[in-house]
Amino acid sequence: YNYNEHEEALGVASEIEKLVNQEGLRYGDIAIMYRTNAQSRAPEEAFVRSGLPYRIIGGLRFWERKEVKDLLAYLRVIHNQFDSLSLARIVNVPARGIGQKTMSLLNGWSQLNDLSLYEVITNSVREDFQYEKSSVSTINTRAKKQLELFMAMLKNLNNIAVEADVLQLFDQLIESIQYKKYIAEQDKSDDRWENILELRSAISDYQDFAPDIGLSAFLESAALSTDLDQMDDSGPDAVTLITLHQAKGLEFPAVFMIGMEEGLLPHRRSIDSGDIAEIEEERRLCYVGMTRARKRLYMTIATNRSMYGNYNPGMSQTAGPSRFLKDIPSHLISIEGDSRLPKGTDILDPDSSTSRREPQSRDRGRKTSPFHPGDHVKHKIFGEGVVVGCLITPLGNDFEVTVAFKGQGVKRLLASISNLEISD
């Protein structure tokens, strides 16, 4: 049992360290399994920042997925119009009739005139502009019109970025470039869209910042995650991250099945379909995951998961534990991390979800917040930071602390287990 997906990932990483350091397992003996590819982001970030080796089977790491890199490139250009590499990536994504020939001309003009790609495109659509240092023919009328529309769209997004928070900017970006329609035409469109929604969840951590700070802080955090990820050389002895669909036929001494919640396993698409056969297929997936474990099986739950960027502090974001957990004989289960649940709550019983969300005592005013906005704090993994907010949890007996860490971005942590220290 965990409070949110970040606590879930850090808890898994901590337990893995114990298995390796105290019980003699190798990292390669351990697997983390999940229903959707998008769920890999939280454990990936926890592993990278903790220095634990890992490998993803059957796919790319989160920050290397095409749709994630596309949208990051858009945000980078909005933040810095002189980022020519990012601009070159997005100028024809989704396709808008700006082909390779046009890009070759633009890049040639950029080098000849020592100008950024943004400046070259801006100048190329001017009726009266001519390059003194270039004998290359001008771009055709159709491409020029598309470049005009593209630059007008970027200008509009830049104007939005001045006033809107980074999450509002992201939503407007998706709409402006019709990226959902573009993704729907790609292979594995459902997985790709869930990756985009998971990116939205990552961005939502920065929506409380001022517009100019939020975008910059998110891009800095994303760049750090990408850089650290690329530095990792896991080798053969690494924890395996894998979807349940790909796990058939594999076995590990220890398996962690994360996200054991309604809406994830079974997946919300199967639930919404109303098709019993689809639910049974989800049950089969759950069984496949459970039977991959030779000795130890961990099944984790988060009561406040930031699902696709829809996060409201103080409100449970999950529909409760997976119905499949209720089918496991109780004498086979050892529940950990449930000390914050109200007494008498059975986390394996979906019908008890209302009692889990409400504290037994409504007299929350007696609890004193351990941190306040503006406090300078230290964390053993994330380093130094400043408290942005501190809210009591839905259970009423802990505090969720939102901290902006230097070079690490914004994190939401539980006061009781984060070991945050006030610094001078």
Side-chain angles (χ1 to χ4, degrees):
Y1 165 80
N2 304 274
Y3 181 64
N4 59 27
E5 71 272 23
H6 303 299
E7 179 186 327
E8 178 184 48
L10 289 172
V12 168
S14 177
E15 185 66 21
I16 287 174
E17 286 188 294
K18 291 179 182 178
L19 292 175
V20 172
N21 296 327
Q22 299 177 18
E23 302 197 22
L25 269 67
R26 299 179 304 109
Y27 290 116
D29 294 331
I30 304 167
I32 299 177
M33 299 182 183
Y34 35 82
R35 174 61 177 82
T36 69
N37 270 307
Q39 287 173 258
S40 74
R41 181 181 69 89
E44 280 188 66
E45 291 188 349
F47 275 39
V48 168
R49 298 180 191 281
S50 301
L52 298 181
Y54 75 96
R55 59 181 178 176
I56 291 186
I57 303 298
L60 296 171
R61 298 185 177 195
F62 181 80
W63 297 103
E64 292 300 314
R65 295 167 191 171
K66 180 185 181 301
E67 53 275 11
V68 174
K69 293 175 73 172
D70 284 348
L71 295 173
L72 281 178
Y74 268 102
L75 292 174
R76 289 191 182 107
V77 171
I78 293 170
H79 179 62
N80 174 19
Q81 63 189 27
F82 298 110
D83 186 340
S84 294
L85 286 176
S86 294
L87 182 56
R89 181 182 181 92
I90 64 172
V91 70
N92 200 42
V93 176
R96 49 177 64 92
I98 304 172
Q100 187 58 48
K101 182 179 179 180
T102 298
M103 290 307 299
S104 295
L105 289 172
L106 293 171
N107 286 322
W109 291 342
S110 174
Q111 294 174 9
L112 284 169
N113 294 274
D114 194 25
L115 295 172
S116 71
L117 185 57
Y118 187 93
E119 291 172 307
V120 168
I121 295 176
T122 300
N123 289 329
S124 71
V125 298
R126 286 172 45 190
E127 294 290 345
D128 60 343
F129 190 85
Q130 293 183 353
Y131 285 94
E132 296 179 0
K133 298 181 181 180
S134 176
S135 60
V136 188
S137 60
T138 58
I139 58 178
N140 64 54
T141 303
R142 181 176 181 275
K144 185 174 181 179
K145 179 61 177 177
Q146 293 303 316
L147 286 170
E148 285 183 299
L149 294 173
F150 174 68
M151 296 303 283
M153 180 194 66
L154 284 184
K155 183 177 180 181
N156 181 56
L157 290 170
N158 280 325
N159 291 335
I160 292 172
V162 174
E163 301 291 338
D165 65 57
V166 66
L167 189 60
Q168 292 172 328
L169 172 64
F170 182 76
D171 289 343
Q172 187 59 55
L173 166 63
I174 295 293
E175 182 177 341
S176 296
I177 64 176
Q178 298 183 38
Y179 204 73
K180 187 171 185 178
K181 178 181 177 182
Y182 170 69
I183 286 296
E185 298 168 352
Q186 309 295 311
D187 292 336
K188 299 181 179 179
S189 58
D190 288 341
D191 283 351
R192 292 181 185 277
W193 184 244
E194 287 188 336
N195 286 330
I196 293 169
L197 295 177
E198 184 63 24
L199 176 61
R200 188 179 189 274
S201 290
I203 291 173
S204 70
D205 286 341
Y206 300 82
Q207 69 179 116
D208 294 331
F209 280 57
D212 57 333
I213 298 175
L215 178 57
S216 177
F218 166 71
L219 290 175
E220 182 181 346
S221 177
L224 178 64
S225 296
T226 303
D227 290 344
L228 289 174
D229 202 8
Q230 291 173 343
M231 289 171 59
D232 177 63
D233 183 13
S234 299
D237 188 24
V239 177
T240 294
L241 272 63
I242 188 171
T243 65
L244 292 168
H245 279 104
Q246 296 162 330
K248 187 176 181 179
L250 302 177
E251 286 188 344
F252 301 86
V255 168
F256 291 80
M257 292 176 62
I258 64 174
M260 292 298 301
E261 301 142 28
E262 290 286 298
L264 282 176
L265 189 65
H267 195 278
R268 61 177 182 171
R269 288 194 297 269
S270 299
I271 297 173
D272 292 343
S273 73
D275 188 339
I276 296 178
E278 289 196 22
I279 295 294
E280 288 308 304
E281 175 62 18
E282 296 288 304
R283 187 185 302 277
R284 187 192 69 81
L285 274 179
C286 182
Y287 178 78
V288 166
M290 294 174 66
T291 53
R292 299 311 90 197
R294 291 198 195 108
K295 296 181 179 179
R296 289 177 179 261
L297 174 63
Y298 299 81
M299 307 176 85
T300 66
I301 304 165
T303 57
N304 278 358
R305 188 177 300 276
S306 179
M307 295 286 286
Y308 313 129
N310 298 318
Y311 184 96
N312 296 312
M315 294 181 64
S316 176
Q317 294 299 300
T318 72
S322 169
R323 66 189 70 185
F324 304 144
L325 293 175
K326 194 175 181 182
D327 296 333
I328 303 173
S330 59
H331 70 277
L332 298 177
I333 301 174
S334 173
I335 299 176
E336 297 182 3
D338 63 336
S339 60
R340 283 164 279 142
L341 287 171
K343 292 181 178 179
T345 300
D346 179 3
I347 71 167
L348 300 185
D349 182 0
D351 294 333
S352 71
S353 58
T354 53
S355 64
R356 181 177 59 258
R357 292 172 185 152
E358 294 294 332
Q360 286 199 319
S361 172
R362 296 184 179 272
D363 187 9
R364 298 181 177 181
R366 295 181 181 178
K367 288 191 173 294
T368 302
S369 175
F371 300 99
H372 301 86
D375 285 350
H376 290 263
V377 293
K378 290 182 180 179
H379 187 271
K380 66 178 181 179
I381 295 177
F382 302 124
E384 297 183 351
V386 177
V387 174
V388 177
C390 187
L391 297 172
I392 198 164
T393 66
L395 303 178
N397 54 355
D398 205 345
F399 287 88
E400 181 187 72
V401 190
T402 303
V403 183
F405 289 101
K406 185 177 181 180
Q408 304 286 335
V410 179
K411 307 294 178 185
R412 290 187 172 102
L413 307 169
L414 283 182
S416 64
I417 65 172
S418 62
N419 295 320
L420 278 176
E421 298 180 357
I422 298 286
S423 59
D424 296 331

